[in-house]
Amino acid sequence: MRTILLLALVLFGASGYAQTTINGNVVDQNGEPIPGANIVIVGKAIGTTTDFDGNFILQTSEEPPFQLSITSIGYTDGLENITSNNQTLRVVLSEAQTFLDEVVISASRTPERIFESPVTVERMGIETIKNTASADFYSGLENLKGVDVNTNSLTFKSVNTRGFATFANTRFMQLVDGMDNSTPALNFPIGNLVGMIETDVLSVELLPGAASALYGANAFNGILFMRSKSPFDYQGISVSVKQGVTSQEAAGTNSYTDVGVRAAHKFSDKFAIKWNFGYLDGTDWAATSTVDKFVPGRTRDALNYDGINVYGDEVSTDIKDVAVTLEGLGILPNGANALVPSVEVSRTGYNESDLTNYTARSIKSDWGLYYRPIEGNNLELSYVGKIGTGNTIYQGTNRYNIANFFQEQHKLELRNDNFFLRGYLVSDKAGDSYDMVFTGININRSWKDDNTWFGEYTGTFVQATLAGATEEQAHAAARAQAESGRYLPGTPEFQAAFDRVIRNPDLSRGSQFRDASKYYHSDANYNFGHLWDWAEVQIGGSYRQYSLNSFGTIYTDADGPIDYSEFGLYTQVQKKIEMANEKSLKLTASVRYDKNEFFDGFFSPRFSAGYSLNRDHNIRASIQTGFRNPTTQDLFIGLDAGRAILVGAAPDNLDRYQRTFEVSGGGQLLGQPSSIVQTGRAAYENSYSAESVIRLSETGNPAVLEIANPDVVQPEQVTSVEIGYRGKVKKLVIDFSAYYNSYSNFLAPENVIAPYYGTVGDGALSVAAISNGDFQTYQAYTNSDVDINSYGASLGLTAKVLGDFDLSGSYTYAKLDFDRVANPDFQVGFNTPEHQFKASFGNAELFKNFGFNVNYRFSDDYYWEATFGNGVVPEFHVVDAQINYTVPSIKSTFKIGGNNLLGDEYFTAFGTGFIGSMYYLSWTINN
């Protein structure tokens, strides 16, 4: 109790009483109020912000005379002299020339104009977010130059830049107020499902390309920074209510609701608090494709049909082998197998729509306590807590229904303008999540196990053939018999089986995946720029401790959590050399050392130079290296995904995964036991390549077999060279960049075949094992020595036209440099269109208090490669638009908008639902 009282005295009792009151109003050159402008006493960490009408009241213990700095993004800075108490001000800020004058922090970990940034930076500020035509700020990222947003679900979108996109995007980092937003279990961000509330967003910055030199391993393809509003600067209660509908041919028209609330209060210049709450509810984009995953022209009548969004039909076998087994058991007469063709037959699956209700929901809240102990100094101690839960669809190796997923974050941070020291915890729980593929498989098995189903099928086929049926008729009769007793969707039997399966984490009978993983992270940075003038020097570092705990449903952690750690140290030196005639040269050099306990340490250097010809023209060039450590899944996964068993490559993981397999009758005739125990080590030390086994089945020639035995995984590296230009020619703003990336130790999963007996390459026993079907398919995690490079360029143009209209456009080119002819079996997964074009046209003040914006996006077609499946993503054209009207008297903005107004449904990845249209009306108060 004494400690609590002491803390209360520190927080509340030491603040003193305000002695000086300043009133004012901030407007633009047209006399329109500027809400959210920052009013700060020069040289002090004391200030406030303007309200919706541009008004402010500043109370402080500082005595006149002093100066006030008035700033707002998109406007020139103002400076006012305060000479007396109760002074009243009217401040007029002129609109800034261009976005080049906006300030970013992410590129160098220090404030600088976008114009002078050493690397490419994309930015969204408060005004951009307000005027976006997208349904929310996170979706609005897809309108930024060079940015790809792949839609997994209504509530899960994956952001990427410069190629190699996946939904499990471990190449791209996402930070919210300095905290990594990736989930501990999956090791990648799940969009904004449990992220920020739109009314609390101050700015969004995005760095395309490698940023490992400052930000570490996962900043490989880029990094997204989301910064929230400080309760010292932005106070009061803000509310956003959005109501609308989504429209999709497969799912119909469904309601969409998105509500956000922000409350912040500054008790004094020393103590402030804030709280946010968000709620989103809708219906997801239904995935209903019945196209065969491997042979697009094949229909559900095919014997070995495997539909893209049909689950349970992944289970298949060669009925010739079944006939031989039944003969051996005396169930079929001798010689009956001669009547049975050697063909693969799959079980009948269930549509994805039978296995999920497509609920899309997000509920999240965060809170913060902020304390500035020294009056007039911006030293700040803060605690921030975040919790979120939600429902979404995630597509990885299979399709997963993420139900009641829960994630929490807790952060303590001490910072001022020159340093920060923070530590945070991120933990998650899988809730009621389940694998929809295994749900279909195990509902089938709950009414008839695989041996019985294929036995009935084969036996009936033999009987029908003996009765004079054609092969087609015999197959039809066989499937009809095997399907007898099948649980049909909508029946009580189906529902009971469904409920049992999704609550069982044993994938031989169920589909639930459990998780309670977490990681602890700390990082620090100090900027010595205030201590000397010759250069700005920064040093920093980070440490992370993982604790994986999936209870054996994802990782090989059935016997307890898996713990491991990594750390990094970095430094940066930046020097600006002023020259004559407004010319300047900014040089930046940085290097980072990272060490994961499983791998050797790695240095990531970066060097950049920016030459400003004058205030309107800047040329930049940089060369940097990046790396990414193998993910938690690359290291420790141990998951039977149906078509293959996924086994991570950590040194102690190879023997931790083990499973008992039954040996065929043919194998037992060779002297093998009836069952064997095989560990994950077989995938890495006794395996053939999967493609060569396929060629063996096609040719019958053992000479085509190729030994795989992939090396265990190591970190992947990239060397990136970039050049760029930013400039202004009259009213036209130009932003151009081009890059070339060269990869080494490219991380790539490899499918291999491990025989139950024999040694690969023996030309005898291992070949017999393959012929007898005594083998297991594994997905191993390894690196490729294949030459992989990529290059591209982006051009952005922005201008004021027809008076005060904003017109912008961008073109992005991305190309993979990879020899597919020489490496036909290598799955590179570039997953990025070669050509993209984006355009925007609008006016924030078409007439008094009325604005509008229209966005257009074009994407070229591209080939999607991932573990769930491969296929072409067709080109698409999308138009979004919004109109907004502000009512100052009630501090409100109303917006009507629509996404995909053309109504042409499209998708951004193989296997996902088609993206339909969305229409909404929003009401935002006091933001």
Side-chain angles (χ1 to χ4, degrees), residues 36-82:
N38 294 301
I39 318 296
V40 179
I41 297 176
V42 175
K44 304 289 183 180
I46 300 172
T48 187
T49 57
T50 58
D51 63 16
F52 197 82
D53 299 314
N55 298 319
F56 70 90
I57 299 175
L58 175 62
Q59 293 181 316
T60 176
S61 59
E62 292 290 314
E63 295 184 2
F66 54 82
Q67 289 184 312
L68 290 183
S69 170
I70 302 95
T71 60
S72 182
I73 294 173
Y75 296 89
T76 56
D77 297 347
L79 193 67
E80 296 288 337
N81 294 312
I82 304 302

Side-chain angles (χ1 to χ4, degrees), residues 540-761:
S542 64
Y543 173 83
R544 179 170 293 190
Q545 173 76 42
Y546 291 92
S547 181
L548 307 178
N549 188 16
S550 71
F551 308 94
T553 63
I554 303 174
Y555 302 107
T556 56
D557 55 2
D559 55 352
I562 298 171
D563 297 327
Y564 73 103
S565 62
E566 57 192 27
F567 71 89
L569 301 169
Y570 64 86
T571 185
Q572 175 177 277
V573 179
Q574 189 172 78
K575 174 68 174 178
K576 186 174 182 180
I577 304 170
E578 299 290 351
M579 302 177 179
N581 300 319
E582 295 188 310
K583 294 181 174 63
S584 65
L585 176 66
K586 180 186 276 191
L587 302 174
T588 306
S590 55
V591 63
R592 181 180 175 112
Y593 174 80
D594 283 271
K595 177 73 173 70
N596 181 291
E597 69 176 76
F598 298 116
F599 311 110
D600 294 335
F602 186 81
F603 286 97
S604 303
R606 180 180 81 174
F607 179 77
S608 66
Y611 179 65
S612 296
L613 284 74
N614 51 45
R615 185 175 176 83
D616 291 332
H617 300 282
N618 177 274
I619 302 169
R620 67 187 186 276
S622 66
I623 181 169
Q624 57 188 313
T625 60
F627 79 103
R628 67 181 183 112
N629 282 325
T631 68
T632 53
Q633 295 188 49
D634 296 336
L635 295 172
F636 294 107
I637 197 167
L639 177 67
D640 186 345
R643 296 260 178 196
I645 294 176
L646 285 53
V647 177
D652 60 346
N653 197 60
L654 304 186
D655 293 321
R656 194 155 49 209
Y657 184 87
Q658 58 180 265
R659 182 170 168 181
T660 301
F661 297 97
E662 295 182 357
V663 175
S664 69
Q668 293 178 50
L669 290 175
L670 295 174
Q672 299 301 313
S674 60
S675 65
I676 61 101
V677 175
Q678 191 175 72
T679 69
R681 186 172 296 277
Y684 294 87
E685 298 180 1
N686 193 47
S687 62
Y688 291 110
S689 73
E691 292 297 328
S692 71
V693 172
I694 293 173
R695 289 193 289 272
L696 171 65
S697 67
E698 293 171 343
T699 65
N701 180 11
V704 301
L705 286 174
E706 297 176 359
I707 297 174
N709 291 353
D711 294 329
V712 295
V713 72
Q714 296 291 320
E716 179 182 340
Q717 303 166 28
V718 63
T719 300
S720 179
V721 178
E722 178 181 323
I723 59 172
Y725 165 79
R726 297 187 187 95
K728 179 173 178 285
V729 180
K730 295 184 179 181
K731 293 185 177 182
L732 178 66
V733 176
I734 304 168
D735 190 357
F736 169 79
S737 64
Y739 67 91
Y740 185 87
N741 292 339
S742 179
Y743 298 86
S744 58
N745 276 343
F746 191 86
L747 280 168
E750 181 178 341
N751 286 342
V752 299
I753 302 292
Y756 293 166
Y757 42 88
T759 302
V760 293

Side-chain angles (χ1 to χ4, degrees), residues 30 38 74 112 173 252 368 387 418 422 442 564 594 609 675 746 759 779 849:
N30 299 317
N38 294 301
E112 59 190 348
M173 181 179 285
I387 58 172
N418 306 311
R422 71 170 70 99
N442 286 319
Y564 73 103
D594 283 271
S675 65
F746 191 86
T759 302
Q779 180 175 288
N849 298 327

Side-chain angles (χ1 to χ4, degrees), residues 500-520:
R500 285 195 307 272
V501 168
I502 66 171
R503 291 185 176 93
N504 188 342
D506 180 355
L507 291 184
S508 66
R509 294 176 296 167
S511 61
Q512 181 189 43
F513 70 87
R514 301 170 60 195
D515 181 68
S517 296
K518 56 189 173 184
Y519 58 80
Y520 303 89

Side-chain angles (χ1 to χ4, degrees), residues 269-536:
D269 290 336
K270 290 190 173 184
F271 183 64
I273 64 173
K274 74 172 179 179
W275 169 77
N276 293 293
F277 174 79
Y279 173 81
L280 183 150
D281 185 77
T283 299
D284 226 322
W285 305 121
T288 58
S289 176
T290 57
V291 174
D292 191 282
K293 184 182 287 189
F294 300 102
V295 184
R298 198 158 57 183
T299 68
R300 294 190 90 148
D301 293 330
L303 299 179
N304 193 26
Y305 170 80
D306 185 357
I308 294 175
N309 299 126
V310 181
Y311 312 133
D313 53 9
E314 293 78 9
V315 177
S316 65
T317 195
D318 188 326
I319 58 173
K320 181 77 167 183
D321 295 336
V322 176
V324 171
T325 300
L326 293 178
E327 272 191 37
L329 295 173
I331 298 174
L332 287 180
N334 290 334
N337 79 85
L339 302 174
V340 180
S342 179
V343 294
E344 287 280 328
V345 172
S346 63
R347 295 195 64 168
T348 305
Y350 293 96
N351 293 336
E352 179 178 292
S353 56
D354 296 325
L355 305 174
T356 180
N357 58 12
Y358 288 116
T359 296
R361 182 173 294 129
S362 171
I363 304 172
K364 51 196 173 187
S365 181
D366 64 82
W367 56 92
L369 305 175
Y370 302 82
Y371 177 55
R372 295 177 175 175
I374 305 173
E375 189 167 335
N377 188 299
N378 62 5
L379 180 69
E380 181 177 282
L381 174 65
S382 63
Y383 159 71
V384 173
K386 294 175 176 285
I387 58 172
T389 184
N391 290 36
T392 190
I393 301 292
Y394 161 61
Q395 180 172 301
T397 301
N398 291 331
R399 297 261 299 168
Y400 303 88
N401 189 84
I402 308 298
N404 301 318
F405 173 85
F406 178 84
Q407 180 168 305
E408 62 179 321
Q409 298 174 297
H410 299 278
K411 178 183 73 168
L412 283 173
E413 182 171 17
L414 181 67
R415 68 178 303 129
N416 68 8
D417 286 342
N418 306 311
F419 82 94
F420 66 78
L421 173 64
R422 71 170 70 99
Y424 58 88
L425 160 71
V426 182
S427 65
D428 64 25
K429 294 181 180 177
D432 301 313
S433 303
Y434 59 92
D435 182 327
M436 290 190 286
V437 172
F438 272 97
T439 301
I441 289 172
N442 286 319
I443 289 176
N444 267 341
R445 289 170 175 168
S446 67
W447 61 267
K448 190 174 291 184
D449 65 80
D450 294 340
N451 288 336
T452 302
W453 195 93
F454 287 111
E456 289 185 4
Y457 189 106
T458 307
T460 304
F461 184 92
V462 170
Q463 293 173 358
T465 302
L466 291 172
T470 64
E471 185 173 315
E472 182 178 351
Q473 292 170 335
H475 278 298
R479 186 169 293 273
Q481 174 57 41
E483 290 291 278
S484 61
R486 183 172 188 259
Y487 295 157
L488 299 178
T491 63
E493 294 81 7
F494 174 88
Q495 189 62 46
F498 174 82
D499 293 339
R500 285 195 307 272
V501 168
I502 66 171
R503 291 185 176 93
N504 188 342
D506 180 355
L507 291 184
S508 66
R509 294 176 296 167
S511 61
Q512 181 189 43
F513 70 87
R514 301 170 60 195
D515 181 68
S517 296
K518 56 189 173 184
Y519 58 80
Y520 303 89
H521 186 96
S522 61
D523 53 355
N525 182 88
Y526 195 92
N527 189 328
F528 294 90
H530 66 292
L531 298 179
W532 51 67
D533 296 330
W534 63 272
E536 184 178 86

